[in-house]
Amino acid sequence: PKLDLGMKTKELVTAHPLFAGLPKKQQKAIMKVMRPQFAVPGEKLIRKGDRGDAAYFIASGAVEVRTATHNVLLGRGDVFGEIALMTGGRRSADVFALGYCQLVRLRAQDFKKLLADSTDLQDHVAMLAQKRQLMNSDD
Ligand code: CMP
């Protein structure tokens, strides 16, 4: 499979299923504020206990979330780092890049604005965060 090194801004957004369904206007707004981030295998992307300043969307590659009791694999189309932003609390887990990853990073205020502008996305992310927190509550 293609490594997707150096994907263009537009490709990064349209490669992501959560973004692909959004109106053009919103996709353009994301392109303006997103921070493309390329990660290498083993790179620590999030440290448990830190304050959260951004959320990440995986355009290509895979990451591993490590909680006290679970290792969860996330791949293209998944989002992570949303919990601390939604709760205002600390990072709930460590997250590592498994291979080379192309990520779309949105800073907290841009992520919140995106959710405020899209009810579908808001619902999706809120459900996701809730499900994950529930899974971790028996850690
Ligand atoms: P946050 O707590 O900000 O930082 C760590 C991230 O790991 C968290 O947001 C979620 O995006 C993700 N995460 C935590 N627990 C799980 C889980 N059980 N399954 C999948 N992802 C998780």
Side-chain angles (χ1 to χ4, degrees), residues 46-48 52 54 65-67 70 72-74 79-87 89-95 128-129 131-133 135-136 139:
I46 285 182
R47 183 189 307 271
K48 185 176 177 177
V65 176
R66 296 185 195 151
T67 76
H70 310 277
V72 183
L73 192 73
L74 302 178
V79 57
F80 63 93
E82 82 291 358
I83 293 179
L85 299 193
M86 305 207 47
T87 63
R90 304 272 175 161
R91 294 298 195 191
S92 63
D94 288 321
V95 182
L128 193 68
K131 224 174 73 180
R132 288 172 171 174
Q133 284 180 290
M135 179 176 169
N136 296 349
D139 274 4

Side-chain angles (χ1 to χ4, degrees), residues 16-19 46 54-59 63 65 72-83 85-86 95 103-106 111 114-115 121 124-129 132:
H16 201 287
L18 280 179
F19 295 152
I46 285 182
Y56 302 80
F57 296 80
I58 306 174
V63 306
V65 176
V72 183
L73 192 73
L74 302 178
R76 180 168 111 77
D78 284 324
V79 57
F80 63 93
E82 82 291 358
I83 293 179
L85 299 193
M86 305 207 47
V95 182
L103 308 170
V104 170
R105 181 172 185 270
L106 290 183
F111 179 71
L114 173 70
L115 294 191
L121 202 57
H124 177 87
V125 173
M127 291 264 292
L128 193 68
R132 288 172 171 174

Side-chain angles (χ1 to χ4, degrees), residues 1-116:
K2 210 171 129 220
L3 252 182
D4 293 331
L5 293 169
M7 284 167 85
K8 292 191 182 67
T9 305
K10 194 174 164 218
E11 293 171 339
L12 277 173
V13 170
T14 50
H16 201 287
L18 280 179
F19 295 152
L22 294 173
K24 282 256 149 55
K25 197 179 154 203
Q26 252 175 300
Q27 291 184 353
K28 280 193 178 149
I30 295 168
M31 287 174 206
K32 272 193 199 150
V33 299
M34 69 183 233
R35 302 283 194 272
Q37 184 173 328
F38 186 69
V40 299
E43 187 174 337
K44 196 172 201 171
L45 298 163
I46 285 182
R47 183 189 307 271
K48 185 176 177 177
D50 279 357
R51 287 200 182 282
D53 58 352
Y56 302 80
F57 296 80
I58 306 174
S60 75
V63 306
E64 187 168 75
V65 176
R66 296 185 195 151
T67 76
T69 54
H70 310 277
N71 288 345
V72 183
L73 192 73
L74 302 178
R76 180 168 111 77
D78 284 324
V79 57
F80 63 93
E82 82 291 358
I83 293 179
L85 299 193
M86 305 207 47
T87 63
R90 304 272 175 161
R91 294 298 195 191
S92 63
D94 288 321
V95 182
F96 293 89
L98 276 188
Y100 292 97
C101 298
Q102 185 72 66
L103 308 170
V104 170
R105 181 172 185 270
L106 290 183
R107 293 173 306 171
Q109 69 265 32
D110 296 322
F111 179 71
K112 283 182 182 161
K113 186 165 184 312
L114 173 70
L115 294 191

